[in-house]
Amino acid sequence: MEYFKLALSKYAQFTGRSRRSEYWYFFLVNLVVGWALQGLGIATDIGLLAGLAGLWSLAMLIPGIAVGVRRLHDTGRSGWWLLIALVPLIGAILLIVWFATDSAPGSNEYGPNPKTGATDDVAAHLVD
């Protein structure tokens, strides 16, 4: 749950990097909450709950895109690669692979590695 809170604390931050766990926990919580609201709406036949599921999805759109962009940055790719999702099937598969890929070691053009929190210079001094 702390990773979900972390992603929400960076609501519309498209700079920097996000670890795999931050992305996947954010994805999982959104999936479960969306399904729960949708399921409750169908089971109780209360349109308000189905509307809440739609509002939840709308509210999570910007942070979902932001955490996806930061995740791509963590693998050393531009956030613009998120648009590959528009290519049917192949785009989604490629993004899943990239989102599941380990962080690029050390710092990259998007910032320090979120796993270590240290830049290459600092990490080099720690090894000495």
Side-chain angles (χ1 to χ4, degrees):
M1 199 60 156
E2 79 180 62
Y3 289 107
F4 183 76
K5 290 178 187 175
L6 177 63
L8 281 182
S9 72
K10 301 175 185 176
Y11 190 86
Q13 182 181 344
F14 295 90
T15 59
R17 297 167 65 171
S18 287
R19 297 175 65 173
R20 273 187 297 195
S21 52
E22 181 181 346
Y23 175 81
W24 287 110
Y25 279 114
F26 182 83
F27 178 83
L28 179 66
V29 169
N30 276 323
L31 189 69
V32 168
V33 170
W35 281 355
L37 288 172
Q38 198 75 321
L40 285 172
I42 292 169
T44 60
D45 199 27
I46 298 175
L48 176 65
L49 289 174
L52 286 176
L55 285 175
W56 173 264
S57 296
L58 187 60
M60 293 297 114
L61 180 64
I62 298 297
I65 293 170
V67 76
V69 167
R70 291 192 313 269
R71 180 70 201 123
L72 287 171
H73 287 173
D74 192 42
T75 63
R77 292 174 179 82
S78 168
W80 288 105
W81 277 108
L82 199 59
L83 293 175
I84 201 163
L86 298 174
V87 177
L89 190 61
I90 294 170
I93 291 170
L94 194 55
L95 280 175
I96 289 170
V97 169
W98 287 343
F99 289 154
T101 302
D102 196 12
S103 301
S107 295
N108 65 19
E109 62 185 290
Y110 304 106
N113 189 332
K115 280 185 176 180
T116 60
T119 63
D120 290 333
D121 297 334
V122 174
H125 292 295
L126 292 175
V127 174
D128 290 338

